[in-house]
Amino acid sequence: MRLANISDRLSLVTADDELIDIAQETGGRFSPRIQDCYDRWDELLEVAATLDGTAGRPLADVALHEFGNPAPQPRQVFAIGLNYADHAAEASLPVPEDLTVFTKFATSLAGPYGTIPLPPGTVDWEVELVAIIGRGGRHIPADRAWSYVAGVSVGQDLSERTLQAAGPAPQYSLAKSFPGFGPIGPLLATPDEFEDPDNIELGCSINGEQVQKGSTSDMVFPVPEIIARLSRITPLLPGDVIFTGTPPGVGVGRTPQRFLTPGDELVTYLRGVGEMRHRIQAMEQQ
């Protein structure tokens, strides 16, 4: 099943690529806001399945600016670092033996299309699979973890490397939380949409040049193991967002290093979900 946040309203994307406004079709039984629906996720899926044959608005008719982040106001945002061995190698760091965890502040989250303001410094790209929690819990076993996932989407963990490296300790969360540094979308796809949810292609390009391409099968800690390990420490809540790490190909790992500049077009994709498109623009001086 695929869902979308269209003009701040939750819509089902049918098998015929038509959009069904779930709140409208159910007479207000569900909130139109997708974030409100994660607390009733199992119930929502049952109802959405009955609407799959309903005629709706063609997905192709939706303007890009209407697409929003499918998890716009999570209570918790987790991000996993160095979760691909080749990315750890390009960063000249060892492959971690346990999760490397930081956060992106919720104000950095954004939709899948539009512009991203470029702050001073050296801004890098990081394509990531984003997992969104549907059923919360603690001590979730890895062999059942996918059943706790509402769905997956594609995200960018944009990073300002100068700030990240400043100070006696790395500033991961601050450097990755400028406005627009956490776009997610355009769709949320439930795990059963994939032949193997642990093996999905992802990548990104800049001005038409592919700079990253990988598979989630190369994760050091696959999504179920991430969920199991996080939930040993803290309860996961419905609607929580997990950025699961990036494959190799980031700018800081290149020779010479390369970073985003005003005017660049950044295209980010996850097979089965779609692609995001963003134009990088200079940040207005305050």
Side-chain angles (χ1 to χ4, degrees):
M1 186 170 296
R2 295 170 299 158
L3 297 163
N5 179 5
I6 304 296
S7 299
D8 294 324
R9 295 184 67 86
L10 171 62
S11 294
L12 168 70
V13 183
T14 71
D16 295 327
D17 282 343
E18 294 192 336
L19 289 168
I20 306 299
D21 186 314
I22 291 178
Q24 180 176 310
E25 289 294 326
T26 60
R29 178 176 171 185
F30 292 94
S31 168
R33 298 177 65 255
I34 190 169
Q35 197 72 45
D36 294 338
C37 295
Y38 288 112
D39 286 318
R40 301 170 60 191
W41 193 253
D42 290 336
E43 183 184 359
L44 173 68
L45 290 184
E46 290 180 6
V47 171
T50 69
L51 301 175
D52 204 356
T54 305
R57 177 186 180 189
L59 183 62
D61 289 351
V62 180
L64 295 185
H65 73 268
E66 296 183 70
F67 283 91
N69 180 345
Q73 294 178 310
R75 285 172 283 186
Q76 301 184 109
V77 180
F78 301 92
I80 310 302
L82 305 175
N83 200 25
Y84 290 74
D86 287 346
H87 174 55
E90 71 179 352
S92 300
L93 293 168
V95 176
E97 296 182 3
D98 202 350
L99 295 183
T100 299
V101 184
F102 54 93
T103 189
K104 292 173 77 75
F105 299 119
T107 50
S108 73
L109 301 182
Y113 303 106
T115 59
I116 296 174
L118 191 70
T122 51
V123 177
D124 208 344
W125 58 87
E126 294 189 20
V127 59
E128 308 207 2
L129 177 143
V130 172
I132 301 168
I133 298 297
R135 295 171 56 204
R138 185 138 190 243
H139 298 293
I140 298 169
D143 62 358
R144 293 172 47 212
W146 273 117
S147 68
Y148 286 76
V149 176
V152 301
S153 194
V154 61
Q156 268 285 347
D157 176 22
L158 291 161
S159 308
E160 200 284 278
R161 301 297 191 189
T162 304
L163 175 59
Q164 181 178 320
Q171 294 278 14
Y172 290 109
S173 296
L174 281 179
K176 294 167 175 281
S177 291
F178 286 90
F181 270 31
I184 302 173
L187 304 180
L188 178 146
T190 55
D192 59 2
E193 283 287 309
F194 302 93
E195 182 177 349
D196 180 358
D198 289 307
N199 183 11
I200 306 173
E201 182 184 324
L202 72 170
C204 71
S205 63
I206 300 171
N207 303 328
E209 176 191 350
Q210 186 151 35
V211 291
Q212 285 187 283
K213 182 179 180 180
S215 170
T216 60
S217 63
D218 294 327
M219 287 183 178
V220 178
F221 302 101
V223 171
E225 189 63 29
I226 293 172
I227 289 172
R229 293 187 184 219
L230 287 176
S231 68
R232 291 174 197 163
I233 306 299
T234 187
L236 299 183
L237 307 174
D240 281 356
V241 164
I242 306 173
F243 284 79
T244 59
T246 194
V250 300
V252 74
R254 294 171 176 263
T255 304
Q257 293 181 337
R258 177 180 177 182
F259 300 104
L260 292 168
T261 59
D264 283 345
E265 183 186 44
L266 179 65
V267 178
T268 314
Y269 72 88
L270 183 75
R271 296 294 182 204
V273 168
E275 66 178 27
M276 304 191 297
R277 288 182 173 269
H278 295 94
R279 183 69 65 179
I280 308 302
Q281 67 175 18
M283 179 177 284
E284 294 183 6
Q285 298 298 315
Q286 300 296 320

